[in-house]
Every structure is written in structure tokens, then in C-alpha cells.
Coordinates of all heavy atoms in Angstrom, one line a residue:
M1 N -225.2 29.5 140.4 CA -225.4 30.1 139.2 C -226.4 31.2 139.3 O -226.3 32.2 138.4 CB -225.9 29.1 138.2 CG -226.1 29.6 136.8 SD -224.4 29.6 135.9 CE -224.8 30.3 134.4
G2 N -227.3 31.1 140.2 CA -228.3 32.3 140.4 C -227.7 33.5 140.7 O -228.1 34.6 140.3
F3 N -226.7 33.5 141.5 CA -226.1 34.8 142.0 C -225.4 35.5 140.9 O -225.3 36.7 140.8 CB -225.1 34.5 143.1 CG -224.6 35.9 143.8 CD1 -225.5 36.6 144.6 CD2 -223.3 36.4 143.6 CE1 -225.1 37.8 145.1 CE2 -223.0 37.5 144.2 CZ -223.9 38.2 145.0
V4 N -224.7 34.6 139.9 CA -224.0 35.2 138.8 C -225.1 36.0 137.9 O -224.8 37.1 137.5 CB -223.3 34.2 137.9 CG1 -222.8 34.7 136.7 CG2 -222.2 33.6 138.8
D5 N -226.2 35.4 137.6 CA -227.2 36.0 136.9 C -227.8 37.4 137.5 O -227.9 38.3 136.9 CB -228.5 35.1 136.7 CG -228.0 33.9 135.8 OD1 -227.1 34.0 135.1 OD2 -228.7 32.8 136.0
K6 N -227.9 37.2 138.9 CA -228.3 38.5 139.5 C -227.3 39.5 139.6 O -227.6 40.7 139.4 CB -228.7 38.1 141.0 CG -229.2 39.2 141.9 CD -229.9 38.8 143.1 CE -230.3 40.0 143.9 NZ -231.8 40.2 143.8
T7 N -226.0 39.2 139.7 CA -224.9 40.1 139.5 C -225.0 40.9 138.2 O -224.9 42.1 138.1 CB -223.7 39.4 139.7 OG1 -223.6 39.0 141.0 CG2 -222.4 40.4 139.6
D8 N -225.1 40.0 137.1 CA -225.3 40.7 135.8 C -226.4 41.6 135.8 O -226.3 42.6 135.0 CB -225.2 39.6 134.7 CG -223.9 38.9 134.6 OD1 -222.9 39.5 135.0 OD2 -223.8 37.7 134.1
Q9 N -227.6 41.2 136.2 CA -228.7 41.9 136.2 C -228.5 43.4 136.9 O -228.9 44.3 136.4 CB -229.8 41.2 136.9 CG -231.2 42.0 136.8 CD -232.3 41.2 137.4 OE1 -232.0 40.1 138.2 NE2 -233.5 41.7 137.5
V10 N -228.0 43.3 138.1 CA -227.8 44.5 138.8 C -226.8 45.5 138.2 O -227.0 46.6 138.0 CB -227.4 44.2 140.3 CG1 -227.0 45.5 141.0 CG2 -228.4 43.5 141.1
L11 N -225.7 44.9 137.7 CA -224.7 45.7 137.1 C -225.3 46.3 135.6 O -224.9 47.3 135.2 CB -223.5 45.0 136.8 CG -222.7 44.6 138.1 CD1 -221.4 43.8 137.7 CD2 -222.3 45.8 138.9
H12 N -226.2 45.6 135.0 CA -226.6 46.0 133.7 C -227.5 47.3 134.0 O -227.6 48.2 133.1 CB -227.5 44.9 133.1 CG -228.1 45.3 131.7 ND1 -227.3 45.6 130.6 CD2 -229.3 45.6 131.4 CE1 -228.1 46.0 129.6 NE2 -229.3 45.9 130.0
Y13 N -228.3 47.4 135.2 CA -229.1 48.5 135.4 C -228.3 49.8 135.5 O -228.8 50.9 135.0 CB -229.9 48.3 136.6 CG -231.0 47.3 136.6 CD1 -231.2 46.5 137.6 CD2 -231.7 47.0 135.4 CE1 -232.2 45.5 137.6 CE2 -232.7 46.1 135.3 CZ -232.9 45.3 136.4 OH -233.9 44.4 136.4
Y14 N -227.2 49.7 136.0 CA -226.3 50.8 136.2 C -225.0 50.7 135.6 O -223.9 51.1 136.1 CB -226.1 51.0 137.8 CG -227.3 51.1 138.6 CD1 -227.8 50.1 139.3 CD2 -228.1 52.2 138.5 CE1 -228.9 50.1 140.1 CE2 -229.3 52.3 139.2 CZ -229.7 51.3 140.0 OH -230.9 51.4 140.8
S15 N -225.0 50.4 134.3 CA -223.8 50.2 133.6 C -223.1 51.5 133.2 O -223.8 52.5 132.8 CB -224.1 49.4 132.3 OG -223.0 49.3 131.5
S16 N -221.9 51.5 133.5 CA -221.1 52.7 133.2 C -220.2 52.6 132.0 O -219.6 53.5 131.5 CB -220.2 53.1 134.4 OG -219.2 52.1 134.6
A17 N -220.3 51.4 131.4 CA -219.5 51.2 130.1 C -220.3 51.7 129.0 O -221.5 51.5 128.9 CB -219.2 49.7 130.0
R18 N -219.6 52.4 128.0 CA -220.2 52.9 126.9 C -219.6 52.3 125.7 O -218.5 51.8 125.7 CB -220.1 54.5 126.8 CG -220.8 55.1 127.9 CD -222.3 55.1 127.8 NE -222.8 55.7 128.9 CZ -223.7 55.1 129.9 NH1 -223.9 53.9 129.7 NH2 -224.2 55.8 130.9
K19 N -220.2 52.6 124.5 CA -219.6 51.9 123.2 C -218.2 52.6 122.9 O -217.4 52.2 122.1 CB -220.6 52.0 122.2 CG -221.7 51.1 122.3 CD -222.7 51.1 121.1 CE -223.9 50.2 121.3 NZ -224.8 50.2 120.2
T20 N -218.1 54.0 123.2 CA -217.2 54.7 122.7 C -215.8 54.5 123.5 O -214.8 54.9 123.0 CB -217.5 56.2 122.8 OG1 -217.8 56.5 124.1 CG2 -218.7 56.5 121.9
I21 N -215.8 54.0 124.7 CA -214.5 53.9 125.3 C -213.8 52.6 125.0 O -214.4 51.5 124.6 CB -214.7 53.9 126.9 CG1 -215.6 52.8 127.4 CG2 -215.3 55.4 127.3 CD1 -215.7 52.9 129.0
R22 N -212.6 52.6 125.3 CA -211.6 51.4 124.9 C -211.9 50.2 125.8 O -212.5 50.4 126.8 CB -210.3 51.8 125.1 CG -209.8 52.9 124.3 CD -209.5 52.5 122.8 NE -209.1 53.7 122.1 CZ -208.6 53.5 120.8 NH1 -208.6 52.4 120.3 NH2 -208.3 54.6 120.2
W23 N -211.6 49.0 125.3 CA -212.0 47.8 126.0 C -211.4 47.8 127.4 O -212.0 47.1 128.3 CB -211.4 46.6 125.2 CG -210.0 46.4 125.1 CD1 -209.2 46.9 124.1 CD2 -209.2 45.7 126.0 NE1 -207.9 46.6 124.4 CE2 -207.8 45.9 125.6 CE3 -209.3 45.1 127.2 CZ2 -206.8 45.3 126.2 CZ3 -208.3 44.4 127.8 CH2 -207.0 44.6 127.4
Y24 N -210.1 48.3 127.6 CA -209.4 48.2 128.8 C -210.2 49.2 129.9 O -210.2 48.9 131.0 CB -208.0 48.5 128.8 CG -207.7 49.8 128.0 CD1 -207.5 51.0 128.7 CD2 -207.3 49.8 126.7 CE1 -207.2 52.1 128.1 CE2 -207.0 51.0 126.1 CZ -207.0 52.2 126.8 OH -206.7 53.3 126.2
K25 N -210.7 50.3 129.4 CA -211.5 51.1 130.3 C -212.8 50.4 130.6 O -213.3 50.5 131.9 CB -211.9 52.4 129.7 CG -210.6 53.2 129.4 CD -210.9 54.6 128.9 CE -209.7 55.5 128.6 NZ -210.0 56.7 128.0
K26 N -213.4 49.7 129.7 CA -214.7 49.1 130.0 C -214.3 47.9 131.1 O -215.2 47.8 132.1 CB -215.3 48.4 128.8 CG -215.9 49.3 127.9 CD -216.5 48.6 126.7 CE -217.1 49.4 125.7 NZ -217.7 48.8 124.5
F27 N -213.3 47.2 130.8 CA -213.0 46.2 131.8 C -212.6 46.7 133.2 O -213.0 46.1 134.2 CB -211.7 45.4 131.3 CG -211.1 44.3 132.2 CD1 -211.8 43.1 132.2 CD2 -210.0 44.5 133.0 CE1 -211.3 42.1 133.0 CE2 -209.6 43.4 133.8 CZ -210.2 42.4 133.9
A28 N -211.9 47.8 133.3 CA -211.6 48.5 134.5 C -212.9 48.9 135.3 O -213.1 48.7 136.5 CB -210.6 49.6 134.4
L29 N -213.7 49.6 134.6 CA -215.0 50.0 135.2 C -215.9 48.8 135.6 O -216.5 48.8 136.7 CB -215.8 50.8 134.1 CG -215.2 52.2 133.9 CD1 -216.0 52.9 132.7 CD2 -215.3 53.1 135.1
H30 N -216.0 47.7 134.8 CA -216.7 46.6 135.3 C -216.2 45.9 136.5 O -216.8 45.4 137.4 CB -216.7 45.6 134.0 CG -217.6 44.4 134.3 ND1 -219.0 44.4 134.5 CD2 -217.2 43.1 134.6 CE1 -219.3 43.2 134.6 NE2 -218.4 42.4 134.8
F31 N -214.7 45.9 136.5 CA -214.1 45.3 137.7 C -214.4 46.1 138.9 O -214.7 45.5 140.0 CB -212.6 45.3 137.3 CG -211.7 44.5 138.4 CD1 -211.8 43.1 138.4 CD2 -210.9 45.2 139.3 CE1 -211.0 42.4 139.3 CE2 -210.3 44.5 140.2 CZ -210.3 43.1 140.2
I32 N -214.3 47.4 138.8 CA -214.6 48.2 139.9 C -216.1 48.1 140.4 O -216.4 48.0 141.6 CB -214.4 49.8 139.5 CG1 -212.9 50.0 139.5 CG2 -215.0 50.7 140.6 CD1 -212.5 51.4 138.8
Q33 N -217.1 47.9 139.4 CA -218.5 47.7 139.7 C -218.7 46.3 140.4 O -219.5 46.3 141.4 CB -219.3 47.7 138.4 CG -219.6 49.1 137.9 CD -220.4 49.2 136.7 OE1 -220.2 48.2 135.9 NE2 -221.2 50.1 136.5
L34 N -217.9 45.4 140.0 CA -217.9 44.1 140.7 C -217.6 44.2 142.1 O -218.1 43.6 143.1 CB -217.2 43.0 139.9 CG -217.9 42.4 138.7 CD1 -216.8 41.5 137.9 CD2 -219.2 41.7 139.0
R35 N -216.5 45.0 142.4 CA -216.0 45.1 143.7 C -217.1 45.9 144.6 O -217.1 45.6 145.8 CB -214.7 45.8 143.7 CG -213.5 45.2 143.0 CD -213.3 43.8 143.5 NE -213.1 42.9 142.3 CZ -213.8 41.8 142.1 NH1 -214.5 41.2 143.1 NH2 -213.5 41.2 141.0
V36 N -217.7 46.9 144.0 CA -218.7 47.6 144.7 C -219.9 46.7 145.1 O -220.4 46.8 146.2 CB -219.0 48.9 144.0 CG1 -220.4 49.6 144.6 CG2 -218.0 50.0 143.9
L37 N -220.2 45.9 144.1 CA -221.4 45.0 144.4 C -221.0 44.0 145.5 O -221.8 43.6 146.4 CB -221.8 44.2 143.1 CG -223.0 43.4 143.1 CD1 -224.2 44.3 143.4 CD2 -223.3 42.8 141.8
N38 N -219.8 43.4 145.5 CA -219.3 42.5 146.5 C -219.3 43.2 147.8 O -219.7 42.6 148.9 CB -217.9 41.9 146.3 CG -217.9 41.0 145.0 OD1 -219.0 40.4 144.8 ND2 -216.9 40.7 144.5
A39 N -218.9 44.5 147.9 CA -218.9 45.2 149.1 C -220.3 45.4 149.7 O -220.6 45.4 150.8 CB -218.2 46.6 148.9
L40 N -221.2 45.7 148.6 CA -222.6 45.8 149.1 C -223.2 44.6 149.7 O -223.9 44.6 150.7 CB -223.4 46.2 147.9 CG -225.0 46.2 148.0 CD1 -225.4 47.4 149.0 CD2 -225.7 46.5 146.6
A41 N -222.8 43.4 149.1 CA -223.4 42.2 149.6 C -222.9 41.9 151.0 O -223.5 41.5 152.0 CB -222.9 40.9 148.7
I42 N -221.5 42.2 151.3 CA -221.0 42.1 152.6 C -221.6 43.2 153.7 O -222.0 42.8 154.7 CB -219.5 42.2 152.7 CG1 -218.8 41.1 151.9 CG2 -218.9 42.4 154.0 CD1 -217.4 41.3 151.5
Y43 N -221.9 44.3 153.1 CA -222.5 45.4 153.9 C -223.9 45.0 154.4 O -224.2 45.1 155.5 CB -222.5 46.7 153.2 CG -223.2 47.8 153.8 CD1 -222.5 48.6 154.8 CD2 -224.5 48.2 153.5 CE1 -223.2 49.6 155.5 CE2 -225.2 49.2 154.2 CZ -224.5 50.0 155.2 OH -225.2 50.9 155.8
N44 N -224.5 44.4 153.4 CA -225.9 44.1 153.8 C -226.0 42.8 154.7 O -226.9 42.7 155.6 CB -226.7 43.5 152.5 CG -227.2 44.8 151.7 OD1 -227.3 46.0 152.2 ND2 -227.4 44.6 150.5
L45 N -225.0 41.9 154.6 CA -224.9 40.8 155.6 C -224.6 41.3 157.1 O -225.2 40.8 158.0 CB -223.9 39.7 155.2 CG -224.4 38.8 154.0 CD1 -223.2 38.0 153.6 CD2 -225.6 38.0 154.4
V46 N -223.6 42.2 157.1 CA -223.1 42.7 158.3 C -224.1 43.6 159.1 O -224.4 43.4 160.3 CB -221.9 43.4 158.2 CG1 -221.3 44.0 159.5 CG2 -220.7 42.3 157.8
K47 N -224.7 44.5 158.3 CA -225.6 45.6 158.9 C -227.0 45.0 159.0 O -227.8 45.7 159.6 CB -225.5 46.8 158.1 CG -224.2 47.6 158.1 CD -224.0 48.1 159.5 CE -222.6 48.9 159.4 NZ -222.3 49.6 160.6
K48 N -227.3 43.9 158.5 CA -228.7 43.3 158.4 C -229.7 44.3 157.9 O -230.7 44.4 158.5 CB -229.0 43.0 159.9 CG -228.1 42.0 160.5 CD -228.3 40.6 160.1 CE -227.6 39.6 161.0 NZ -226.5 38.9 160.4
K49 N -229.3 45.0 156.8 CA -230.3 45.9 156.2 C -230.1 45.8 154.7 O -229.1 45.4 154.2 CB -230.3 47.3 156.7 CG -229.1 48.0 156.5 CD -229.1 49.4 157.2 CE -228.0 50.3 156.7 NZ -228.1 51.6 157.3
K50 N -231.2 46.3 153.9 CA -231.1 46.2 152.5 C -230.8 47.6 151.9 O -231.6 48.3 151.7 CB -232.5 45.7 152.0 CG -232.7 44.2 152.0 CD -231.8 43.6 151.0 CE -232.4 42.2 150.6 NZ -231.3 41.4 149.9
A51 N -229.5 47.8 151.5 CA -229.1 48.9 150.8 C -229.2 48.6 149.3 O -228.9 47.5 149.0 CB -227.8 49.3 151.3
T52 N -229.5 49.6 148.5 CA -229.6 49.4 147.1 C -228.2 49.7 146.5 O -227.3 50.4 147.1 CB -230.6 50.3 146.4 OG1 -230.3 51.6 146.6 CG2 -232.1 50.0 146.9
Y53 N -228.0 49.1 145.3 CA -226.7 49.3 144.6 C -226.4 50.8 144.4 O -225.3 51.3 144.6 CB -226.6 48.5 143.3 CG -225.3 48.7 142.6 CD1 -224.2 48.0 142.9 CD2 -225.3 49.5 141.5 CE1 -223.0 48.2 142.3 CE2 -224.1 49.7 140.8 CZ -222.9 49.0 141.3 OH -221.8 49.2 140.5
L54 N -227.5 51.6 144.0 CA -227.3 52.9 143.6 C -227.0 53.8 144.9 O -226.1 54.7 144.9 CB -228.5 53.5 142.9 CG -228.5 54.9 142.5 CD1 -227.4 55.2 141.5 CD2 -229.9 55.3 142.0
D55 N -227.7 53.6 146.0 CA -227.5 54.3 147.2 C -226.1 54.0 147.8 O -225.4 54.8 148.2 CB -228.6 54.0 148.2 CG -229.9 54.4 147.8 OD1 -230.0 55.3 147.0 OD2 -230.9 53.9 148.2
F56 N -225.7 52.7 147.7 CA -224.4 52.3 148.2 C -223.3 52.9 147.4 O -222.3 53.5 148.0 CB -224.3 50.8 148.3 CG -223.2 50.2 148.9 CD1 -223.0 50.3 150.4 CD2 -222.0 49.8 148.2 CE1 -221.9 49.9 151.0 CE2 -220.9 49.2 148.9 CZ -220.8 49.3 150.3
S57 N -223.4 52.9 146.0 CA -222.4 53.6 145.2 C -222.3 55.0 145.4 O -221.2 55.5 145.5 CB -222.8 53.3 143.7 OG -222.8 52.0 143.5
L58 N -223.4 55.7 145.6 CA -223.4 57.1 145.8 C -222.7 57.4 147.1 O -222.1 58.5 147.3 CB -224.8 57.7 145.7 CG -225.4 57.7 144.4 CD1 -226.8 58.3 144.4 CD2 -224.6 58.7 143.4
E59 N -223.1 56.5 148.2 CA -222.4 56.8 149.5 C -220.9 56.6 149.4 O -220.1 57.4 150.0 CB -222.9 55.8 150.5 CG -222.5 56.2 152.0 CD -223.1 57.5 152.4 OE1 -224.0 58.0 152.0 OE2 -222.3 58.1 153.2
I60 N -220.4 55.6 148.7 CA -219.0 55.4 148.5 C -218.3 56.6 147.7 O -217.2 57.1 148.2 CB -218.8 54.2 147.6 CG1 -219.0 53.0 148.5 CG2 -217.3 54.0 147.2 CD1 -219.0 51.6 147.8
I61 N -219.0 57.2 146.8 CA -218.5 58.3 146.1 C -218.4 59.6 146.9 O -217.4 60.2 146.9 CB -219.4 58.6 144.9 CG1 -219.2 57.5 143.7 CG2 -219.1 60.0 144.2 CD1 -220.2 57.5 142.6
K62 N -219.4 59.7 147.7 CA -219.4 60.8 148.8 C -218.2 60.7 149.7 O -217.6 61.7 150.0 CB -220.7 60.9 149.5 CG -221.8 61.4 148.7 CD -223.2 61.4 149.5 CE -224.3 61.7 148.7 NZ -225.6 61.6 149.5
E63 N -218.0 59.6 150.3 CA -216.9 59.3 151.2 C -215.5 59.5 150.5 O -214.6 60.0 151.1 CB -217.1 58.0 151.8 CG -218.3 57.7 152.7 CD -218.1 58.6 154.0 OE1 -217.0 58.9 154.5 OE2 -219.2 59.1 154.4
L64 N -215.4 59.0 149.3 CA -214.1 59.2 148.7 C -213.8 60.6 148.2 O -212.7 60.9 148.1 CB -214.0 58.2 147.4 CG -214.0 56.8 147.7 CD1 -214.0 55.9 146.5 CD2 -212.8 56.4 148.5
T65 N -214.8 61.4 147.9 CA -214.6 62.7 147.6 C -214.7 63.8 148.6 O -214.3 65.0 148.4 CB -215.6 63.2 146.4 OG1 -217.0 63.0 146.9 CG2 -215.5 62.3 145.2
A66 N -214.9 63.3 149.9 CA -214.9 64.2 150.9 C -213.5 64.6 151.3 O -212.6 63.8 151.2 CB -215.5 63.6 152.2
T67 N -213.3 65.9 151.7 CA -212.1 66.4 152.1 C -211.5 65.8 153.4 O -212.5 65.4 154.3 CB -211.9 67.9 152.1 OG1 -212.8 68.3 153.1 CG2 -212.4 68.5 150.7
Q68 N -210.3 65.8 153.6 CA -209.7 65.3 154.9 C -210.3 66.1 156.1 O -210.6 65.7 157.2 CB -208.3 65.2 154.9 CG -207.6 64.7 156.2 CD -207.9 63.2 156.2 OE1 -208.2 62.5 155.2 NE2 -207.7 62.7 157.4
E69 N -210.3 67.5 156.0 CA -210.8 68.4 157.0 C -212.2 68.2 157.3 O -212.6 68.3 158.5 CB -210.5 69.8 156.6 CG -209.1 70.2 156.5 CD -208.5 70.0 155.1 OE1 -209.3 69.6 154.2 OE2 -207.3 70.0 155.0
A70 N -213.1 67.9 156.3 CA -214.4 67.6 156.6 C -214.7 66.3 157.4 O -215.6 66.3 158.2 CB -215.2 67.6 155.2
L71 N -213.8 65.3 157.1 CA -214.0 64.1 157.8 C -213.6 64.2 159.3 O -214.4 63.8 160.2 CB -213.2 63.0 157.1 CG -213.6 62.6 155.8 CD1 -212.7 61.5 155.2 CD2 -215.0 62.0 155.8
N72 N -212.4 64.7 159.6 CA -211.9 64.9 160.9 C -210.7 65.9 160.9 O -209.7 65.5 160.5 CB -211.5 63.5 161.5 CG -211.2 63.6 162.9 OD1 -211.3 64.6 163.6 ND2 -210.9 62.4 163.5
P73 N -211.1 67.1 161.4 CA -210.0 68.1 161.2 C -208.8 67.8 162.1 O -207.7 68.3 161.9 CB -210.7 69.4 161.7 CG -212.0 68.9 162.1 CD -212.2 67.6 161.9
S74 N -208.9 67.0 163.1 CA -207.8 66.7 164.0 C -206.8 65.7 163.4 O -205.6 65.6 163.8 CB -208.2 66.2 165.3 OG -208.9 64.9 165.2
T75 N -207.2 65.1 162.3 CA -206.2 64.1 161.7 C -205.5 64.6 160.4 O -205.0 63.8 159.7 CB -207.1 62.8 161.3 OG1 -208.1 63.2 160.4 CG2 -207.8 62.2 162.5
V76 N -205.6 65.8 160.2 CA -204.9 66.5 159.0 C -203.3 66.1 159.2 O -202.7 66.4 160.3 CB -205.1 67.9 158.9 CG1 -204.3 68.5 157.8 CG2 -206.6 68.2 158.7
M77 N -202.7 65.6 158.3 CA -201.4 65.3 158.4 C -200.5 66.5 158.4 O -200.7 67.6 157.7 CB -200.9 64.5 157.1 CG -201.5 63.1 157.1 SD -200.7 62.0 155.8 CE -202.0 62.4 154.6
P78 N -199.5 66.6 159.3 CA -198.7 67.8 159.5 C -197.9 68.1 158.3 O -197.6 69.3 158.0 CB -197.8 67.5 160.6 CG -197.8 66.1 160.9 CD -199.2 65.5 160.3
R79 N -197.6 67.2 157.3 CA -196.8 67.5 156.2 C -197.7 68.3 155.2 O -197.1 68.9 154.3 CB -196.3 66.2 155.5 CG -197.4 65.3 154.9 CD -196.7 64.2 154.3 NE -197.8 63.3 153.8 CZ -198.4 63.4 152.5 NH1 -198.0 64.4 151.8 NH2 -199.3 62.6 152.2
L80 N -199.0 68.4 155.3 CA -199.8 69.1 154.5 C -200.0 70.6 155.0 O -200.9 71.2 154.4 CB -201.1 68.4 154.3 CG -201.1 67.1 153.5 CD1 -202.3 66.3 153.4 CD2 -200.4 67.2 152.1
Q81 N -199.4 71.0 155.9 CA -199.7 72.3 156.5 C -198.7 73.3 156.2 O -198.3 74.2 157.0 CB -199.8 72.1 158.1 CG -201.1 71.4 158.4 CD -201.2 71.2 160.0 OE1 -200.4 71.6 160.7 NE2 -202.4 70.8 160.3
G82 N -198.0 73.3 155.0 CA -197.2 74.3 154.5 C -195.8 74.0 154.5 O -195.0 74.9 154.0
R83 N -195.2 73.1 155.1 CA -193.8 72.8 155.2 C -193.3 72.2 153.9 O -192.2 72.6 153.6 CB -193.6 71.9 156.4 CG -192.2 71.9 156.8 CD -191.9 71.0 158.0 NE -191.3 69.7 157.6 CZ -191.3 68.7 158.2 NH1 -191.9 68.6 159.3 NH2 -190.7 67.6 157.7
H84 N -194.0 71.5 153.2 CA -193.4 70.8 152.0 C -194.0 71.3 150.7 O -193.8 70.7 149.7 CB -193.5 69.4 152.2 CG -192.8 68.6 153.1 ND1 -191.5 68.4 153.0 CD2 -193.1 68.2 154.4 CE1 -191.0 67.9 154.1 NE2 -192.1 67.6 154.9
F85 N -194.6 72.5 150.7 CA -195.1 73.1 149.4 C -193.9 73.7 148.7 O -192.9 74.1 149.2 CB -196.2 74.0 149.7 CG -197.5 73.2 150.3 CD1 -197.9 73.5 151.5 CD2 -198.1 72.4 149.4 CE1 -199.1 72.8 151.9 CE2 -199.3 71.7 149.8 CZ -199.7 71.9 151.0
I86 N -194.1 73.8 147.4 CA -193.1 74.5 146.5 C -192.9 76.0 147.0 O -193.8 76.7 147.2 CB -193.5 74.4 145.1 CG1 -193.6 72.9 144.7 CG2 -192.5 75.2 144.2 CD1 -194.2 72.8 143.3
A87 N -191.6 76.4 147.2 CA -191.3 77.7 147.5 C -190.3 78.2 146.5 O -189.4 77.5 146.1 CB -190.7 77.9 148.8
H88 N -190.4 79.4 146.0 CA -189.5 80.0 145.1 C -188.2 80.6 145.7 O -188.4 81.4 146.6 CB -190.2 81.0 144.1 CG -191.3 80.5 143.4 ND1 -191.1 79.7 142.3 CD2 -192.7 80.5 143.5 CE1 -192.2 79.4 141.8 NE2 -193.2 79.8 142.4
H89 N -187.1 80.2 145.4 CA -185.8 80.8 145.9 C -185.1 81.5 144.8 O -185.0 81.1 143.7 CB -184.9 79.6 146.4 CG -185.6 78.8 147.4 ND1 -185.7 79.3 148.8 CD2 -186.1 77.5 147.5 CE1 -186.2 78.4 149.5 NE2 -186.5 77.3 148.8
K90 N -184.7 82.7 145.3 CA -183.9 83.5 144.4 C -182.6 83.0 144.3 O -181.8 82.9 145.4 CB -183.9 85.0 144.8 CG -185.3 85.6 144.6 CD -185.3 87.0 144.8 CE -186.6 87.6 144.6 NZ -186.6 89.1 144.6
T91 N -181.9 82.8 143.2 CA -180.6 82.3 143.0 C -179.8 83.5 142.3 O -180.4 84.2 141.4 CB -180.5 81.0 142.1 OG1 -181.2 81.3 140.8 CG2 -181.3 79.9 142.8
E92 N -178.6 83.5 142.7 CA -177.7 84.5 141.9 C -177.2 83.9 140.7 O -176.9 82.8 140.4 CB -176.5 84.7 142.8 CG -176.6 85.2 144.2 CD -175.5 85.4 145.1 OE1 -174.4 85.5 144.4 OE2 -175.6 85.5 146.2
Q93 N -177.4 84.8 139.7 CA -177.1 84.5 138.3 C -175.7 84.9 138.0 O -175.2 86.0 138.5 CB -177.9 85.2 137.3 CG -179.4 84.6 137.5 CD -180.3 85.2 136.3 OE1 -179.9 86.2 135.6 NE2 -181.5 84.7 136.3
K94 N -174.9 84.1 137.3 CA -173.5 84.3 137.1 C -173.5 85.5 136.0 O -174.3 85.4 135.1 CB -172.8 83.2 136.6 CG -172.7 82.1 137.7 CD -172.0 80.8 137.3 CE -171.9 79.8 138.2 NZ -171.1 78.7 137.7
K95 N -172.4 86.3 136.1 CA -172.3 87.4 135.1 C -171.8 86.8 133.7 O -172.3 87.3 132.7 CB -171.3 88.4 135.6 CG -172.0 89.3 136.8 CD -171.2 90.2 137.3 CE -171.8 91.0 138.5 NZ -171.0 91.8 139.1
T96 N -171.0 85.8 133.7 CA -170.6 85.2 132.5 C -171.1 83.8 132.6 O -170.9 83.0 133.4 CB -169.0 85.3 132.5 OG1 -168.5 84.6 133.6 CG2 -168.5 86.7 132.5
P97 N -171.6 83.4 131.4 CA -172.1 81.9 131.4 C -170.9 81.0 131.3 O -169.8 81.3 130.7 CB -172.9 82.0 130.0 CG -172.4 83.1 129.2 CD -171.9 84.1 130.2
S98 N -171.1 79.9 131.9 CA -170.1 78.9 131.8 C -170.3 77.9 130.7 O -171.4 77.8 130.1 CB -170.2 78.1 133.2 OG -171.4 77.5 133.3
K99 N -169.2 77.3 130.4 CA -169.2 76.4 129.1 C -169.8 75.1 129.4 O -169.6 74.5 130.3 CB -167.9 76.3 128.4 CG -167.5 77.7 127.9 CD -166.1 77.6 127.2 CE -165.8 78.9 126.6 NZ -164.5 78.8 126.0

């Protein structure tokens, strides 16, 4: 029971839920925060160091928002290098409209 209380305490300090958002958004944000807190607990066990919830969350945000080229330029997918982007093609217009 002690870990549940500590979980609620840590999540309360950095609560992202506000009164103005809908219940399903609050639920989704709380669910994401729980997953981040569980990942932090596993990270602290594996790495044998004490990272804080805030630092760990900010690091996750930095990693998720980093561009693919910044992470590793050699792993850029070839489909993103211009082959599948939208191209405008000129089509011939009929002189008389069809019915």
C-alpha cells in the first residue's frame, strides 16, 4: 500500500490534469504519467541511480521530440528522401465536358 501512496504523491507534484479539460483527457494524461513513473522505477533499478520524476520526464520529452537526423543521420529511411512526396502533375483538360 505504501507504493500506491508514494505514486499518488509524486504524480500530484507534477499533475498535468486541469479542471477545464474533459474527463477522458484527464484519464489519458494520468495513464501516461503512470507509465512514465513505472519506467522511472525500472530505470532507477537497472541503472542503480536516483533520477527524479521531473528530470526523467524532460529527458523522455527531449528524446521523443528529437529529429531523426539529429539522432543518427545514417538511419534516415530512404522513403523520406523525396521519392514519395506529393508532386503536381499537369493533366490535359477535355475541351468538352463529359456528362
